[in-house]
Amino acid sequence: MSANPLEKAARREAPLGVFDSGLGGLTVVHALREKCPGENIVYLGDTARVPYGTRSPETVVRYALGCSRVLLKRGVKAIVVACNTVSAVALDMLRIELDLPILGVIVPGARAAVEASQGAPIGVLATTGTISSNAYPRAVAALSTRAVVIGQAAPLLVSLAEEGWVDGQVPRLVAQRYLEPLVRKGARSVVLGCTHFPLLKKPIAEELAALTGENLPIVDSAYATADDVATFLTERNLACTRTERGTLDLLVTDVPKSFREVASRFLGETVDEVHQIDL
Ligand code: DGL
């Protein structure tokens, strides 16, 4: 049965649900709050179980379903999966199991990479789970028959980002270790294929420039994802009509010691309140 006009209007004003294994998805929230400033957002970071990127696809699907159900109970109108690992291995299952729109980060990231690379080989830095899933090569192949994708698992970068250790010698050395094989295999652009990695863009860019002697494109899927979400909401008549800034509810499954500082860094704005929940 189709919704009546009142139900449709209420749905438009409902919040957008966003989740990630931890705090990395806040980089997507940051972009969403720029592109769709009126939208109310409920964010869930599964900080008690991060990282997802080293776990089996079955476990990631189970965790992702748990996160999605929490958001569903909060009355969200759509879910943005702000995690590459979940987008890589669990998106289809979420779409089968849940009766609401689910948007991921891989397809927008792949599209931005194809545009930036102009046919040259694309390097992808991501979690072990995302790289093993081949989600990026598949998404790129659907957009371009020419582009080659070279993947590199970079799990240590996740810990550095969660720890807030995003500048200086250690992140640069780790970035160098992961970039070197990509450059050796001919990558001419680098996709930050993990929502934690935009925080490490500076050391990654510095090392990429040091290794190649050039300023090659670095692709951050957060803004491409926010563009897709904005278009989707408008096309489906789901965009809110609010003109004032939307609210942001932060839910986490654990509150690490340095939470506020790290979360503010990911989000690019001060974090005042956060609620701890059990899944
Ligand atoms: N946010 C996750 C992603 O984008 C990385 C962190 C994790 O391993 O859970 O893949």
Side-chain angles (χ1 to χ4, degrees), residues 22-193:
L23 301 180
L26 290 173
T27 56
V28 177
V29 172
H30 175 68
L32 281 170
R33 278 166 73 76
E34 258 183 59
K35 298 272 175 191
C36 328
E39 295 295 341
N40 289 341
I41 294 177
V42 182
Y43 179 84
L44 170 60
D46 192 5
T47 40
R49 298 190 295 197
V50 67
Y52 284 9
T54 49
R55 304 188 196 276
S56 68
E58 293 74 21
T59 299
V60 174
V61 168
R62 188 157 48 84
Y63 287 179
L65 277 169
C67 291
S68 302
R69 289 193 175 117
V70 167
L71 294 173
L72 216 69
K73 278 196 196 131
R74 304 243 163 189
V76 301
K77 60 186 168 190
I79 291 179
V80 180
V81 177
C83 174
N84 283 265
T85 309
V86 174
S87 299
V89 304
L91 219 57
D92 290 343
M93 192 53 92
L94 294 180
R95 285 179 175 146
I96 290 167
E97 291 286 327
L98 307 168
D99 186 21
L100 86 170
I102 311 277
L103 297 108
V105 288
I106 302 247
V107 170
R111 201 186 49 246
V114 168
E115 277 163 20
S117 66
Q118 302 189 336
I122 298 167
V124 176
L125 285 180
T127 64
T128 312
T130 300
I131 296 299
S132 322
S133 74
N134 276 324
Y136 270 100
R138 271 202 311 275
V140 166
L143 297 165
S144 160
T145 47
R146 280 190 305 151
V148 172
V149 175
I150 306 158
Q152 174 65 46
L156 259 187
L157 293 180
V158 175
S159 314
L160 289 174
E162 287 277 329
E163 194 62 34
W165 203 345
V166 294
D167 214 348
Q169 223 184 349
V170 173
R172 274 195 68 157
L173 280 173
V174 176
Q176 183 196 59
R177 180 69 182 261
Y178 291 137
L179 287 169
E180 196 275 326
L182 284 184
V183 170
R184 189 165 20 90
K185 290 174 195 163
R188 301 289 299 156
S189 61
V190 172
V191 179
L192 305 178

Side-chain angles (χ1 to χ4, degrees), residues 162-258:
E162 287 277 329
E163 194 62 34
W165 203 345
V166 294
D167 214 348
Q169 223 184 349
V170 173
R172 274 195 68 157
L173 280 173
V174 176
Q176 183 196 59
R177 180 69 182 261
Y178 291 137
L179 287 169
E180 196 275 326
L182 284 184
V183 170
R184 189 165 20 90
K185 290 174 195 163
R188 301 289 299 156
S189 61
V190 172
V191 179
L192 305 178
C194 170
T195 51
H196 284 61
F197 295 174
L199 236 71
L200 292 147
K201 195 168 176 178
K202 186 168 170 265
I204 291 171
E206 285 167 356
E207 280 310 313
L208 187 62
L211 284 167
T212 61
E214 293 174 76
N215 278 324
L216 297 179
I218 296 184
V219 177
D220 169 355
S221 62
Y223 282 91
T225 302
D227 274 339
D228 270 23
V229 172
T231 307
F232 177 86
L233 293 178
T234 305
E235 282 177 0
R236 299 293 178 97
N237 201 13
L238 274 174
C240 74
T241 54
R242 249 182 315 276
T243 48
E244 70 273 23
R245 190 157 172 74
T247 57
L248 173 61
D249 287 343
L250 286 183
L251 312 175
V252 289
T253 50
D254 187 30
V255 186
K257 219 167 47 204
S258 54

